[in-house]
Amino acid sequence: MTTSFGAAKTVTIAKDSKIMLRNGFNGLNKPAPSLALTKSLRLSPSSSLSLIRAVSTPIKPDTAAETKRSKVEIIKEHSNFIRYPLNEELLTDAPNVNEAATQIIKFHGSYQQYNRDERGQRSYSFMLRTKNPSGKVPTQLYLTMDDLADEFGIGTLRLTTRQTFQLHGVLKKDLKTVMSSIIKNMGSTLGACGDLNRNVLAPAAPFARKDYCFAQKTAEDIAALLSPQSGFYYDMWVDGEKIMSAEPPEVVKARNDNSHGTNFPDSPEPIYGTQFLPRKFKVAVTVPTDNSVDILTNDIGLVLVSDAQGEPQGFNIYIGGGMGRTHRVEATFPRLAEPLGYVPIEDILYAVKAIVVTQRENGRRDDRKYSRMKYLISSWGIEKFRNVVEQYYGKKFEPFHELPEWEFKSYLGWHEQGDGGLFCGLHVDNGRIGGKMKQTLREVIEKYNLSVRLTPNQNIILCDIRGAWKRPITIALAQAGLLHPRYVDPLNLTAMACPAFPLCPLAITEAERGIPAILKRVRAVFEKVGLKFNESVVIRITGCPNGCARPYMAELGLVGDGPNSYQIWLGGTPNQTSLARSFMDKVKIQDLEKVFEPLFYYWKRKRQSKESFGDFTTRMGFEKLREWVDKWEGPEVAPARYNLKLFADKQTYEAVDELAKLQNKTAHQLAMDVIRNYVGSQHNGKGE
């Protein structure tokens, strides 16, 4: 089989002598003819749309020069469209699959793992990840996943930061049973991992509003557009039986359109070809103000623009976001998406396809550290990237529309849907559903036949609840620890962590298992420096620098950089619109308070009105912050003064103060100890 990098007609770019990434990374640097636009073609514009000009079909490249490729690219080439050698490896008695099959099974939505807590012989298992555009989960699928977790997994379900389920601990011999069960119960894992479009995000809230409904439908259409077509998934897991609902005709039309050289003619994979994409690809869709999807962290971020009557008109397009990086390799970095342009709603699928094809044809395939689209855009610059995309799109992008400020929306608690029903957003610490919580959620979902939505913040929403059901559901959930958000520590409500140990092969240190204790320690520091209970910061923790929990958008991000050690990132904002920066390296877990205390102490005392912790750290600057950390000796002790609420006169205060000094306490502390001891003795019936 030959390698297929180019479509029928392919974009190439003239070499730019001065476009460089940090530390000398020069992008692709493929010599080629310069690109030229054809003459303008005036089309009949829709209402309020400006002139649209047609552009030329991309020029076919010179393929004489052999390009260096990574090992994964060669595995994909020889896989017979993501079948081999996985199809053979699944038939062996070994508990694991070989290296090539480990890469191929990712496209099917699974990672091979082993328990890193265990020493000696490795105990292999597989993690399965579902694909749920907009986070939508039918009742039948939720109950199926719940059953599979108990019968074939480790007894828990994990909600991810991309609105999907992860099912851990599935043995190789059970893979086909589990996969086929998911497929036959309205689910899929196809493309949840691997070098292709991943799950498409959209706000999870089930509002019966035109904008929310249209954004969610667009997410589902994009997921369908970019879904593999060659049938490898169904061949492997359900013996070729393709269990799918009918696709919207506009999706089929956009996929098959090859007017501008985007497709591989007569290929089983018209968009992906044999090689698929250079790396993972992430898309999110939302509406103005709603940044529940971390819109700027995606390869493509789409924002629906509606008119004054609320009718959807088009989309603003952001491109080039991405979180992953590598420690001590400065040419790798997290990046925020930037504006590309605006398109009318009828063109959105064609615009998305053009962006994907531009990355397919020009993203690096020699070194996977630099294969995400963010590096291509950083190398070329936005103007050059836009120029190439427009040729695959066939039109010029219109100017970006002005947007209001972004807000982070969690949708926790009870809300009206707008159609007479209610929905209830539930906080799930780190997205891990197990034990009594898992049992109760199943009972409630099954009893009331509720559909479910998963959020990008690892939480769950129960939908379509009748008013009469609110009280019994609230009681049942509370008894399982699923409380109204007012009863949950605000630090927990916005915190996220990746799974890390024991099953993730990339983890350097703890994340999910470590974050509960770390959040408690942060709360203790808050109390020590005088911050109130209702004050909070966005904290995200990952066990490695790949950024699955998006720590580089947090106000306080902890990124594993060694055993029991974290790199500390500061400067994100509560609405997830600013990128944090690396503040300190190699901070041991037992030394976190040495950094947290001075930072939170001075935030309490030197912040401006309503200034968030992230904005405060940015305003003060890292030089000043490091000075505070280096010179920290503990909070300043307020001058001693008697408290009229505790002491009736100054003489009593001074007497207590003398006694307190003998115990290295203040008069106030000693008086409180005496009162507590007295109350405790009375309560125990030991009063004298």
Side-chain angles (χ1 to χ4, degrees):
M1 181 180 292
T2 58
T3 306
S4 301
F5 285 103
K9 297 179 181 178
T10 313
V11 170
T12 53
I13 301 301
K15 182 175 180 179
D16 289 318
S17 58
K18 295 184 179 180
I19 293 180
M20 298 183 68
L21 285 178
R22 294 183 248 172
N23 280 17
F25 172 55
N26 289 301
L28 301 178
N29 288 330
K30 294 180 182 176
S34 61
L35 297 170
L37 300 181
T38 61
K39 62 182 180 180
S40 297
L41 174 65
R42 187 175 296 275
L43 301 179
S44 173
S46 58
S47 60
S48 76
L49 298 185
S50 59
L51 173 68
I52 300 176
R53 296 186 297 274
V55 296
S56 63
T57 297
I59 303 165
K60 189 173 181 178
D62 177 8
T63 56
E66 183 68 25
T67 306
K68 179 186 175 184
R69 294 184 292 156
S70 69
K71 184 187 297 184
V72 175
E73 289 299 314
I74 296 171
I75 290 172
K76 288 188 287 187
E77 177 188 351
H78 294 100
S79 70
N80 185 21
F81 292 99
I82 316 301
R83 293 174 174 85
Y84 177 83
L86 179 61
N87 53 350
E88 295 183 358
E89 286 290 301
L90 290 174
L91 300 177
T92 70
D93 293 330
N96 62 311
V97 299
N98 65 20
E99 181 182 358
T102 299
Q103 296 299 328
I104 293 303
I105 200 171
K106 293 178 184 178
F107 291 77
H108 295 257
S110 179
Y111 283 91
Q112 180 170 275
Q113 302 179 328
Y114 65 92
N115 191 332
R116 297 175 64 187
D117 282 346
E118 298 177 358
R119 296 294 177 260
Q121 186 174 357
R122 291 181 176 179
S123 55
Y124 287 98
S125 64
F126 292 79
M127 179 274 284
L128 274 61
R129 182 185 295 153
T130 60
K131 207 169 183 183
N132 309 90
S134 305
K136 292 183 179 180
V137 181
T139 311
Q140 179 180 339
L141 177 59
Y142 185 92
L143 298 178
T144 298
M145 296 301 297
D146 184 82
D147 288 337
L148 293 174
D150 289 339
E151 188 172 356
F152 299 104
I154 59 174
T156 65
L157 284 172
R158 195 171 198 279
L159 314 180
T160 77
T161 58
R162 290 202 71 80
Q163 297 183 279
T164 65
F165 288 114
Q166 283 185 177
L167 185 63
H168 290 92
V170 178
L171 300 180
K172 176 185 160 185
K173 67 181 180 64
D174 296 323
L175 274 173
K176 188 166 186 177
T177 300
V178 175
M179 288 283 204
S180 62
S181 296
I182 293 172
I183 294 168
K184 292 176 180 179
N185 287 278
M186 307 175 70
S188 176
T189 64
L190 172 60
C193 321
D195 298 342
L196 72 175
N197 180 55
R198 302 290 186 86
N199 196 51
V200 183
L201 305 187
F207 289 132
R209 282 172 37 179
K210 287 182 180 178
D211 55 351
Y212 275 83
C213 292
F214 196 89
Q216 291 158 2
K217 182 184 183 300
T218 301
E220 293 159 21
D221 287 349
I222 292 170
L225 172 73
L226 300 178
S227 182
Q229 299 297 300
S230 55
F232 63 83
Y233 180 69
Y234 301 97
D235 287 349
M236 199 76 68
W237 308 112
V238 287
D239 301 322
E241 180 186 356
K242 202 167 184 181
I243 303 172
M244 294 179 64
S245 58
E247 291 184 317
E250 59 269 26
V251 171
V252 177
K253 182 180 178 183
R255 182 190 298 123
N256 293 337
D257 179 76
N258 197 29
S259 330
H260 304 285
T262 53
N263 289 19
F264 295 95
D266 304 317
S267 170
E269 291 292 351
I271 295 178
Y272 290 129
T274 62
Q275 298 305 117
F276 286 75
L277 298 180
R279 278 296 300 272
K280 69 180 82 169
F281 199 88
K282 297 181 177 181
V283 181
V285 188
T286 192
V287 300
T289 75
D290 189 335
N291 198 20
S292 59
V293 299
D294 260 353
I295 191 75
L296 300 180
T297 66
N298 292 270
D299 291 275
I300 300 177
L302 305 177
V303 186
L304 180 64
V305 177
S306 300
D307 63 17
Q309 288 71 45
E311 292 293 334
Q313 298 297 306
F315 287 92
N316 278 349
I317 302 177
Y318 290 96
I319 57 165
M323 291 286 96
R325 51 179 284 276
T326 302
H327 282 314
R328 293 173 292 282
V329 180
E330 292 187 10
T332 66
F333 45 83
R335 187 181 192 274
L336 293 185
E338 59 185 306
L340 178 70
Y342 170 91
V343 300
I345 55 174
E346 62 269 17
D347 286 347
I348 189 58
L349 296 181
Y350 299 90
V352 167
K353 182 180 174 184
I355 296 167
V356 169
V357 170
T358 301
Q359 161 66 354
R360 182 194 74 196
E361 294 301 305
N362 299 284
R364 286 186 63 165
R365 294 181 183 265
D366 60 328
D367 189 335
R368 290 176 66 81
K369 288 196 303 292
Y370 306 110
S371 292
R372 289 292 298 275
M373 193 172 76
K374 64 181 178 180
Y375 296 114
L376 178 63
I377 297 171
S378 293
S379 172
W380 283 3
I382 188 65
E383 293 302 327
K384 185 175 187 177
F385 188 87
R386 182 185 292 114
N387 181 38
V388 176
V389 173
E390 285 174 342
Q391 295 181 66
Y392 284 122
Y393 175 39
K395 300 178 184 179
K396 300 290 285 184
F397 288 106
E398 296 181 54
F400 213 66
H401 286 221
E402 186 176 350
L403 295 172
E405 287 293 315
W406 291 106
E407 299 174 25
F408 168 72
K409 299 186 179 183
S410 68
Y411 298 113
L412 297 177
W414 288 92
H415 303 267
E416 294 185 1
Q417 294 179 171
D419 57 2
L422 302 172
F423 72 87
C424 182
L426 301 170
H427 171 72
V428 180
D429 277 337
N430 308 306
R432 183 69 68 178
I433 298 176
K436 177 67 172 174
M437 179 197 301
K438 180 172 174 293
Q439 177 187 342
T440 300
L441 275 174
R442 182 195 175 90
E443 291 171 353
V444 169
I445 291 168
E446 190 169 27
K447 178 178 180 180
Y448 298 99
N449 194 32
L450 304 179
S451 61
V452 166
R453 305 277 180 100
L454 310 181
T455 83
N457 227 48
Q458 301 175 311
N459 295 320
I460 189 169
I461 294 175
L462 305 183
C463 309
D464 304 317
I465 301 172
R466 297 180 187 175
W469 300 343
K470 180 177 178 179
R471 178 174 172 78
I473 287 176
T474 300
I475 293 172
L477 295 174
Q479 290 173 345
L482 289 160
L483 305 174
H484 189 282
R486 75 166 68 96
Y487 302 117
V488 180
D489 190 322
L491 290 171
N492 292 62
L493 291 178
T494 55
M496 291 201 297
C498 69
F501 288 131
L503 294 176
C504 179
L506 303 176
I508 304 170
T509 193
E510 297 285 1
E512 180 185 341
R513 296 195 303 193
I515 194 172
I518 290 175
L519 292 178
K520 289 178 181 177
R521 290 165 64 185
V522 171
R523 177 54 65 192
V525 171
F526 268 36
E527 293 174 355
K528 184 174 182 179
V529 302
L531 288 165
K532 297 177 181 178
F533 181 79
N534 63 353
E535 297 184 278
S536 185
V537 299
V538 177
I539 299 174
R540 295 177 177 178
I541 302 179
T542 57
C544 82
N546 284 339
C548 292
R550 303 189 287 271
Y552 310 117
M553 302 298 289
E555 294 182 273
L556 172 59
L558 303 184
V559 179
D561 65 354
N564 298 313
S565 172
Y566 294 97
Q567 188 178 61
I568 295 180
W569 288 65
L570 301 174
T573 51
N575 65 352
Q576 276 80 66
T577 56
S578 297
L579 199 62
R581 293 184 296 133
S582 176
F583 176 64
M584 295 184 73
D585 295 336
K586 297 290 183 182
V587 178
K588 288 295 184 181
I589 191 168
Q590 64 269 22
D591 295 330
L592 290 175
E593 280 84 353
K594 295 178 182 178
V595 180
F596 293 168
E597 278 190 16
L599 295 181
F600 292 138
Y601 176 82
Y602 285 107
W603 176 45
K604 168 75 165 58
R605 281 153 182 78
K606 295 182 179 293
R607 60 188 169 181
Q608 297 174 351
S609 176
K610 298 182 179 179
E611 186 175 34
S612 70
F613 177 70
D615 285 338
F616 169 76
T617 59
T618 299
R619 180 173 62 85
M620 297 308 302
F622 281 10
E623 184 177 350
K624 173 60 71 174
L625 300 181
R626 291 191 181 100
E627 179 185 331
W628 287 340
V629 171
D630 292 342
K631 296 181 178 179
W632 183 248
E633 294 182 354
E636 295 178 8
V637 178
R641 58 187 179 86
Y642 63 88
N643 187 331
L644 295 178
K645 292 182 180 179
L646 286 176
F647 304 103
D649 55 77
K650 187 176 181 179
Q651 185 178 0
T652 304
Y653 165 77
E654 291 175 345
V656 174
D657 189 47
E658 286 294 321
L659 291 172
K661 288 177 181 177
L662 298 176
Q663 300 181 38
N664 198 27
K665 296 179 180 179
T666 66
H668 184 274
Q669 289 173 330
L670 180 59
M672 291 304 298
D673 287 347
V674 171
I675 293 170
R676 287 193 191 98
N677 291 337
Y678 175 78
V679 172
S681 66
Q682 294 296 313
H683 181 73
N684 294 324
K686 299 178 181 177
E688 295 179 348

